[in-house]
Amino acid sequence: MQNNKPLRIALTKGRLEKDTIGLFESLGFDCTAVREKGRRLILPIPDANLEVVLAKANDVITYVEHGVCDMGVVGKDTIMEMHGKFYELVDLGFGRCKFALAGKKNENFYAGVGVKTIATKYPNVARSFFAAKGMDVEIVKIEGSVELAPLLDLANGIVDIVETGSTLRENGLEVYEDVAPISARLIVNTVSLKLRQHEIETLIQKIEQELKEREESK
Ligand code: PRP
């Protein structure tokens, strides 16, 4: 049975949204409505039978898990923190950065026997990183500018996103250890993949072909 309802894709507002729209335009889709969105949050890409939903990263996962969006574009950082039941099908290659353990320069983080305090916006990521090392740590959840925590002596280290490294550098901090690489991922609702398999797979094939061509032309 032909389902003519647009496929709904939730995009993480900001850079990932822009990079995804750039990718869709490379596929020849007319993204004028998204480019001229104003304050609108649901926008059509009619020639691709897509509907774009603009949301915060955590909410992209929530909407895809609940099946109100068929697909989503979200950073691996959010996926690692939130987990959830969906398929992670494509590494889109953009939005590249990493999770790292960092702290004040020239300090031996692993020295001493006391329980270390780790400040982070990503408590689950930090907890599993140290659990894998068999290391007991105290996690303190911080909402933004986590770099402040070691500077204020609240924490021995932070687990945070590092992109260019300038925030660390300009605050006298350094990476002690890489935790995990991060990039944008295409996620798909489990039921949508069954019900609209052909459309979703066709879109994914186009995306993968474009990503391959980009890689080859580097
Ligand atoms: C992120 C991250 C670092 C910074 C790293 O914060 O938490 O603070 O970017 O980027 P850099 O390595 O290029 O300096 P963001 O700018 O998202 O702001 P936030 O702290 O308010 O979340």
Side-chain angles (χ1 to χ4, degrees):
M1 194 181 70
Q2 184 68 33
N3 189 343
N4 284 322
K5 220 170 53 157
L7 271 180
R8 211 180 258 161
I9 182 164
L11 305 184
T12 302
K13 278 198 265 188
R15 236 188 70 194
L16 298 191
E17 163 202 337
K18 290 189 178 68
D19 287 345
T20 309
I21 294 307
L23 176 67
F24 284 166
E25 286 178 338
S26 316
L27 300 182
F29 302 165
D30 178 1
C31 297
T32 311
V34 191
R35 293 259 179 220
E36 297 172 357
K37 62 182 185 278
R39 301 289 298 169
R40 278 186 303 155
L41 299 169
I42 304 182
L43 295 312
I45 306 181
D47 57 349
N49 198 31
L50 284 173
E51 189 168 64
V52 166
V53 171
L54 300 176
K56 280 211 161 200
N58 290 2
D59 300 337
V60 167
I61 291 191
T62 303
Y63 294 138
V64 171
E65 263 200 304
H66 284 261
V68 295
C69 292
D70 303 292
M71 299 176 289
V73 172
V74 66
K76 183 69 179 175
D77 49 328
T78 311
I79 296 174
M80 285 174 68
E81 182 61 21
M82 283 189 66
H83 299 290
K85 196 170 165 288
F86 49 79
Y87 297 122
E88 182 188 322
L89 294 187
V90 187
D91 180 345
L92 295 166
F94 49 74
R96 272 191 205 283
C97 50
K98 65 181 178 186
F99 271 130
L101 168 66
K104 282 187 197 161
K105 258 176 134 168
N106 305 320
E107 294 209 355
N108 187 352
F109 175 80
Y110 290 105
V113 288
V115 170
K116 309 285 181 200
T117 304
I118 302 297
T120 185
K121 275 182 273 186
Y122 301 88
N124 294 330
V125 173
R127 210 170 281 118
S128 48
F129 174 68
F130 287 105
K133 291 177 178 290
M135 216 176 132
D136 195 17
V137 293
E138 189 195 334
I139 307 277
V140 180
K141 173 97 195 299
I142 299 288
E143 293 300 330
S145 299
V146 182
E147 293 84 357
L148 279 171
L151 297 175
L152 298 175
D153 290 321
L154 173 69
N156 305 97
I158 61 175
V159 168
D160 196 25
I161 290 174
V162 177
E163 192 181 350
T164 61
S166 358
T167 312
L168 292 180
R169 245 184 337 266
E170 291 182 25
N171 289 288
L173 306 173
E174 66 181 358
V175 169
Y176 295 149
E177 200 175 328
D178 287 355
V179 173
I182 296 170
S183 56
R185 306 298 160 101
L186 180 76
I187 61 171
V188 179
N189 173 266
T190 50
V191 177
S192 297
L193 190 64
K194 285 200 188 84
L195 296 182
R196 307 193 63 177
Q197 189 177 7
H198 179 69
E199 289 159 277
I200 292 174
E201 283 182 358
T202 305
L203 177 65
I204 286 178
Q205 274 165 17
K206 285 185 190 161
I207 289 173
E208 284 179 332
Q209 181 60 32
E210 171 63 23
L211 294 176
K212 196 166 147 238
E213 282 167 22
R214 285 181 179 190
E215 200 53 45
E216 284 167 359
S217 68
K218 265 185 192 167

